[in-house]
Amino acid sequence: MLAEMGLAPVWRLRADRGARGGEETRAARAEPGAAGERGAAPGSAAEREATIMRMDWDALKRAVPVCTACELHKSRTQTVFGVGDQRAEWLLVGEAPGAEEDRLGEPFVGQAGKLLDAMLAAIDLKRGENVYIANVLKCRPPGNRNPEAHEVAQCSPYLLRQIALIRPKLIVAMGRFAAQTLLNSDASIASLRGTVHRFAGVPLIVTYHPAYLLRNLPDKAKAWHDLLFARRTLRSLK
Ligand code: SF4
């Protein structure tokens, strides 16, 4: 009956898929939401993202250190996965590892890390307790250059999966790059501050990166206001 209606074949053997790979790739790209288990072409970015989005913490932690999806793997000492409470209400997201982070494998270390710890303490938070810290990129861009768009595209599924696993109540984007990347915006950090944005359905607040604050001390007061705003926002959600 289906053949008569021009709708057959409905099922094909898996072995037949290879011959239709190009056709399936186009179909997968054309269909909204095709990046799931259904319709993602083998080896495509959609299939890679779908695979990452199925990972649990252990699988994710095994996948990132061996990732070679962008050129940054060639110059890294090690990946910087992220640290903290895997059930945290607070998720802090920075840009990418710097030299110290690349050496130690932990985000926000050195002077910027000390300042971040002090900022957290000021709102009664502590690294590792109800706080998770990660970067948009898991590998250090050489010479601390700005990340490239394709590097962000390759790495962002890891952060997306971390967010899905943590299920934070609030995200704090630290610095211009993290804010612009997560909000897909070119707006200045000054214009993005003071507003509750959303990322993947989670409220997101923008503030300065601690490394920037070390060079621009007057803006520390603004970061303090941002943290108070973030704390008020989180409390209002409870
Ligand atoms: Fe993989 Fe991300 Fe490192 Fe690129 S930056 S190699 S996508 S982990």
Side-chain angles (χ1 to χ4, degrees), residues 201-221:
V202 182
L204 181 149
I205 283 172
V206 170
T207 192
Y208 296 101
H209 194 285
Y212 166 86
L213 294 173
L214 289 172
R215 302 189 302 271
N216 298 274
L217 296 180
D219 280 340
K220 270 188 178 179

CSV table of all heavy atoms in Angstrom, one decimal, residues 201-221:
chain,number,residue,atom,x,y,z
A,201,GLY,N,18.0,28.3,29.2
A,201,GLY,CA,17.0,28.3,30.2
A,201,GLY,C,17.4,28.7,31.6
A,201,GLY,O,16.5,28.9,32.4
A,202,VAL,N,18.7,28.9,31.8
A,202,VAL,CA,19.2,29.2,33.1
A,202,VAL,C,19.4,30.7,33.2
A,202,VAL,O,20.1,31.3,32.3
A,202,VAL,CB,20.5,28.4,33.4
A,202,VAL,CG1,21.0,28.7,34.8
A,202,VAL,CG2,20.3,27.0,33.2
A,203,PRO,N,19.0,31.4,34.3
A,203,PRO,CA,19.3,32.8,34.4
A,203,PRO,C,20.8,33.1,34.4
A,203,PRO,O,21.6,32.3,35.0
A,203,PRO,CB,18.7,33.2,35.8
A,203,PRO,CG,17.7,32.1,36.1
A,203,PRO,CD,18.2,30.9,35.4
A,204,LEU,N,21.2,34.1,33.7
A,204,LEU,CA,22.6,34.4,33.6
A,204,LEU,C,22.9,35.9,33.9
A,204,LEU,O,22.2,36.7,33.4
A,204,LEU,CB,23.1,34.0,32.1
A,204,LEU,CG,24.5,34.2,31.8
A,204,LEU,CD1,25.0,33.2,30.7
A,204,LEU,CD2,24.9,35.6,31.3
A,205,ILE,N,23.9,36.1,34.6
A,205,ILE,CA,24.3,37.5,35.0
A,205,ILE,C,25.8,37.7,34.6
A,205,ILE,O,26.6,36.8,34.6
A,205,ILE,CB,24.1,37.7,36.5
A,205,ILE,CG1,22.6,37.9,36.7
A,205,ILE,CG2,24.9,38.9,37.0
A,205,ILE,CD1,22.2,38.0,38.2
A,206,VAL,N,26.0,38.9,34.1
A,206,VAL,CA,27.4,39.2,33.5
A,206,VAL,C,28.1,40.1,34.5
A,206,VAL,O,27.6,41.0,35.1
A,206,VAL,CB,27.2,40.0,32.2
A,206,VAL,CG1,28.5,40.5,31.7
A,206,VAL,CG2,26.5,39.1,31.2
A,207,THR,N,29.4,39.7,34.7
A,207,THR,CA,30.3,40.6,35.4
A,207,THR,C,31.7,40.6,34.8
A,207,THR,O,31.9,39.9,33.8
A,207,THR,CB,30.3,40.2,36.9
A,207,THR,OG1,31.0,41.3,37.7
A,207,THR,CG2,31.1,38.9,37.1
A,208,TYR,N,32.6,41.3,35.4
A,208,TYR,CA,34.0,41.4,34.9
A,208,TYR,C,34.8,40.1,35.3
A,208,TYR,O,34.5,39.5,36.3
A,208,TYR,CB,34.7,42.6,35.4
A,208,TYR,CG,34.0,43.9,35.0
A,208,TYR,CD1,33.2,44.6,35.8
A,208,TYR,CD2,34.3,44.4,33.7
A,208,TYR,CE1,32.6,45.8,35.4
A,208,TYR,CE2,33.7,45.6,33.3
A,208,TYR,CZ,32.8,46.3,34.1
A,208,TYR,OH,32.2,47.4,33.7
A,209,HIS,N,35.8,39.8,34.4
A,209,HIS,CA,36.7,38.7,34.7
A,209,HIS,C,37.7,39.2,35.8
A,209,HIS,O,38.2,40.4,35.8
A,209,HIS,CB,37.4,38.4,33.4
A,209,HIS,CG,38.2,37.1,33.5
A,209,HIS,ND1,39.3,36.9,34.3
A,209,HIS,CD2,37.9,35.8,33.0
A,209,HIS,CE1,39.7,35.6,34.2
A,209,HIS,NE2,38.8,35.0,33.4
A,210,PRO,N,38.0,38.3,36.8
A,210,PRO,CA,39.0,38.8,37.8
A,210,PRO,C,40.3,39.3,37.3
A,210,PRO,O,40.9,40.2,37.8
A,210,PRO,CB,39.1,37.5,38.6
A,210,PRO,CG,37.9,36.7,38.4
A,210,PRO,CD,37.5,37.0,37.0
A,211,ALA,N,40.8,38.7,36.2
A,211,ALA,CA,42.0,39.1,35.6
A,211,ALA,C,41.9,40.6,35.1
A,211,ALA,O,42.9,41.4,35.2
A,211,ALA,CB,42.5,38.2,34.4
A,212,TYR,N,40.8,40.9,34.6
A,212,TYR,CA,40.5,42.3,34.2
A,212,TYR,C,40.5,43.2,35.4
A,212,TYR,O,41.1,44.3,35.4
A,212,TYR,CB,39.2,42.4,33.4
A,212,TYR,CG,38.7,43.8,33.2
A,212,TYR,CD1,39.1,44.6,32.2
A,212,TYR,CD2,37.8,44.4,34.1
A,212,TYR,CE1,38.7,45.9,32.0
A,212,TYR,CE2,37.4,45.7,34.0
A,212,TYR,CZ,37.8,46.4,32.9
A,212,TYR,OH,37.3,47.7,32.8
A,213,LEU,N,39.9,42.8,36.5
A,213,LEU,CA,39.8,43.6,37.7
A,213,LEU,C,41.1,43.9,38.3
A,213,LEU,O,41.4,44.9,38.9
A,213,LEU,CB,38.9,42.9,38.7
A,213,LEU,CG,37.4,42.8,38.3
A,213,LEU,CD1,36.6,42.0,39.3
A,213,LEU,CD2,36.8,44.2,38.1
A,214,LEU,N,42.1,42.9,38.1
A,214,LEU,CA,43.4,43.1,38.7
A,214,LEU,C,44.1,44.3,38.0
A,214,LEU,O,44.9,45.0,38.6
A,214,LEU,CB,44.3,41.9,38.5
A,214,LEU,CG,43.9,40.7,39.4
A,214,LEU,CD1,44.7,39.4,38.9
A,214,LEU,CD2,44.2,41.0,40.8
A,215,ARG,N,43.7,44.6,36.7
A,215,ARG,CA,44.3,45.7,36.0
A,215,ARG,C,43.5,46.9,36.1
A,215,ARG,O,43.9,48.0,35.7
A,215,ARG,CB,44.5,45.3,34.5
A,215,ARG,CG,45.3,44.0,34.2
A,215,ARG,CD,45.5,43.9,32.7
A,215,ARG,NE,44.3,43.8,32.0
A,215,ARG,CZ,43.7,42.7,31.7
A,215,ARG,NH1,44.1,41.5,32.2
A,215,ARG,NH2,42.6,42.7,31.0
A,216,ASN,N,42.2,46.8,36.5
A,216,ASN,CA,41.3,48.0,36.5
A,216,ASN,C,40.6,48.0,37.9
A,216,ASN,O,39.4,47.7,38.0
A,216,ASN,CB,40.3,47.8,35.4
A,216,ASN,CG,40.9,47.8,34.0
A,216,ASN,OD1,41.2,48.9,33.4
A,216,ASN,ND2,41.2,46.6,33.5
A,217,LEU,N,41.4,48.4,38.9
A,217,LEU,CA,40.9,48.4,40.3
A,217,LEU,C,39.6,49.1,40.5
A,217,LEU,O,38.7,48.6,41.2
A,217,LEU,CB,41.9,48.9,41.2
A,217,LEU,CG,43.2,48.0,41.3
A,217,LEU,CD1,44.2,48.6,42.2
A,217,LEU,CD2,42.9,46.6,41.6
A,218,PRO,N,39.3,50.3,39.8
A,218,PRO,CA,38.1,51.0,40.1
A,218,PRO,C,36.8,50.2,39.7
A,218,PRO,O,35.8,50.4,40.3
A,218,PRO,CB,38.2,52.2,39.2
A,218,PRO,CG,39.6,52.4,39.0
A,218,PRO,CD,40.2,51.1,39.0
A,219,ASP,N,37.0,49.2,38.8
A,219,ASP,CA,35.8,48.4,38.4
A,219,ASP,C,35.5,47.3,39.4
A,219,ASP,O,34.5,46.6,39.3
A,219,ASP,CB,36.0,47.8,37.0
A,219,ASP,CG,35.8,48.8,35.9
A,219,ASP,OD1,35.1,49.8,36.2
A,219,ASP,OD2,36.2,48.7,34.8
A,220,LYS,N,36.3,47.1,40.4
A,220,LYS,CA,36.0,46.2,41.5
A,220,LYS,C,34.7,46.5,42.1
A,220,LYS,O,33.9,45.6,42.5
A,220,LYS,CB,37.1,46.1,42.5
A,220,LYS,CG,38.3,45.2,42.2
A,220,LYS,CD,39.2,45.1,43.5
A,220,LYS,CE,40.3,44.2,43.3
A,220,LYS,NZ,41.2,44.1,44.4
A,221,ALA,N,34.4,47.7,42.3
A,221,ALA,CA,33.2,48.1,43.0
A,221,ALA,C,32.0,47.7,42.1
A,221,ALA,O,31.0,47.2,42.6
A,221,ALA,CB,33.1,49.6,43.2
